[in-house]
Amino acid sequence: MIKNGLTYADAGVDIDAGNALVDAIKPLARATMRPGADAALGGFGGLFDLKAAGFVDPILVAANDGVGTKLKIAIDTDQHATIGIDLVAMCVNDLIVQGAEPLFFLDYFACGALNNDVATAVVAGISQGCLQSGSALIGGETAEMPGMYAAGDYDLAGFSVGAAERGTLLPRADISDGDTLIGIASSGPHSNGYSLIRRIVEVSGIAWDAPAPFNTNQTLAEALLEPTRIYVKSLLAAIRETGAIKAMAHITGGGLLENIPRVLPDGLAARIDATSWHAPAVFGWLASQGGVEATEMLRTFNCGIGMVVVIEPDKVEAVIEILSREGETAMVIGHLAPRDGEGVIMDGTLEFAA
């Protein structure tokens, strides 16, 4: 029999710390305010007004994701400032490829014991990702669960909702043989393949705080924590200004080989010119240090192309001009052709320079 009554804090859950965290992140949420949302936290649910956002007959599109074991690098090196950008990016990039404008975002942060400094840094990154994508951070959940997570560990999940006017969703029905494929450069591995990356780093024996062999201006941890690029605003501009985009593929787990066929009709394959871009140095280092074969690289990592866009051939110049204006590095990487086997045909060899 317990002489003095137990409290929730005795069980490892600090309600006061949770309340303090909510107060700390309220300004971060308010900074993401946009038409349709006031970004106020504290209610039982977040609200969004589609009419105020300018939609007439919208179809809602939803996506959720995490950042995988990239989190372990952030945790092990105590660098949490950008992992929230990754969380948003992995969700909103999945919305934009369907032609949907991301509208609002919710996050889930789970840990064993709440560290408000860490949690606030993570949410600050989420807020930054929302600003980059035009999303309102309208709510979330912080779960403190003693016994579920090791000391210092936490996990993240993100949930994004967007909308498109009826009849404008992608992919379009008129995708055809001869359509052009544009590749948009990635910022690095984004948030995929990090179990393999961490294994390669372990085998290499290089410390996280040592200069990155492929970029000596950063530590290895800083280079591998480079946040996932958010393509929303640049692609929205290209969609709305040209009307030429027929489909898009977000190059995540499965790489170029598995993601492009997801948006193509039966009977068509992507014919990729592997010499049309150079894989960034990080991928060369991973390939050489880990002895990873080219096909395995292409089905695990984005290898330098974070987004592939299918467009009408006569609109190539216009689309690339807009993407360049919006800060993207875009190039023609191939075209669609009749399918007789694999969904992606690689012409030439993608070089992975160590």
Side-chain angles (χ1 to χ4, degrees):
M1 181 176 181
I2 297 172
K3 188 173 184 180
N4 297 313
L6 289 173
T7 66
Y8 213 179
D10 293 328
V13 178
D14 191 336
I15 296 175
D16 291 335
N19 291 335
L21 176 62
V22 172
D23 289 338
I25 65 178
K26 279 182 178 179
L28 299 171
R30 280 197 297 270
T32 68
M33 189 187 319
R34 56 154 292 158
D38 62 10
L41 299 183
F44 287 98
L47 305 178
F48 193 90
D49 185 340
L50 284 166
K51 187 174 180 180
F55 287 91
V56 177
D57 186 18
I59 300 292
L60 294 178
V61 183
N64 74 293
D65 212 334
V67 296
T69 60
K70 189 174 186 176
L71 267 180
K72 283 296 292 177
I73 302 177
I75 292 167
D76 291 347
T77 64
D78 196 26
Q79 298 182 56
H80 312 279
T82 59
I83 205 74
I85 299 176
D86 289 294
L87 184 66
V88 176
M90 295 303 290
C91 296
V92 298
N93 284 341
D94 279 353
L95 294 186
I96 189 60
V97 298
Q98 296 178 86
E101 176 188 351
L103 301 175
F104 59 86
F105 190 85
L106 301 99
D107 69 277
Y108 175 78
F109 180 100
C111 60
L114 189 59
N115 180 320
N116 274 6
D117 289 339
V118 171
T120 301
V122 171
V123 176
I126 292 171
S127 175
Q128 181 59 41
C130 286
L131 288 169
Q132 290 183 25
S133 63
S135 304
L137 179 57
I138 66 170
E141 168 70 2
T142 302
E144 193 174 14
M145 298 186 287
M148 286 289 289
Y149 295 90
D153 279 353
Y154 62 88
D155 199 8
L156 295 175
F159 308 85
S160 184
V161 175
E165 293 291 355
R166 192 178 303 274
T168 66
L169 288 171
L170 300 177
R172 282 168 28 184
D174 62 341
I175 299 172
S176 60
D177 178 12
D179 282 344
T180 299
L181 298 174
I182 290 176
I184 309 178
S186 68
S187 56
H190 285 179
S191 297
N192 298 105
Y194 273 81
S195 293
L196 177 56
I197 288 172
R198 290 170 48 247
R199 176 62 176 149
I200 291 170
V201 171
E202 180 184 355
V203 168
S204 77
I206 300 174
W208 289 119
D209 59 357
F214 49 88
N215 181 0
T216 55
N217 293 322
Q218 293 180 297
T219 67
L220 183 59
E222 289 169 344
L224 291 175
L225 285 172
E226 184 70 30
T228 305
R229 189 159 183 83
I230 293 176
Y231 300 99
V232 169
K233 291 184 178 179
S234 56
L235 287 172
L236 279 176
I239 291 169
R240 291 168 177 173
E241 293 181 37
T242 70
I245 293 180
K246 295 185 175 185
M248 292 182 280
H250 182 200
I251 309 305
T252 55
L256 290 162
L257 301 184
E258 296 184 12
N259 283 291
I260 301 176
R262 294 171 64 183
V263 300
L264 300 181
D266 293 340
L268 286 179
R271 191 152 207 130
I272 304 291
D273 178 3
T275 67
S276 58
W277 81 97
H278 298 287
V282 58
F283 297 107
W285 182 77
L286 291 169
S288 64
Q289 190 68 47
V292 186
E293 295 182 352
T295 300
E296 186 69 11
M297 290 292 296
L298 286 165
R299 65 192 295 267
T300 304
F301 302 112
N302 64 60
C303 295
I305 301 294
M307 190 73 68
V308 173
V309 184
V310 181
I311 65 167
E312 301 170 12
D314 61 347
K315 298 291 182 65
V316 170
E317 186 176 337
V319 171
I320 289 182
E321 182 180 342
I322 291 168
L323 292 173
S324 298
R325 182 195 74 200
E326 297 296 318
E328 305 293 356
T329 299
M331 70 291 290
V332 174
I333 63 169
H335 63 277
L336 298 185
R339 179 170 179 169
D340 183 19
E342 298 297 327
V344 175
I345 304 158
M346 299 295 293
D347 293 324
T349 301
L350 181 60
E351 296 294 333
F352 293 100

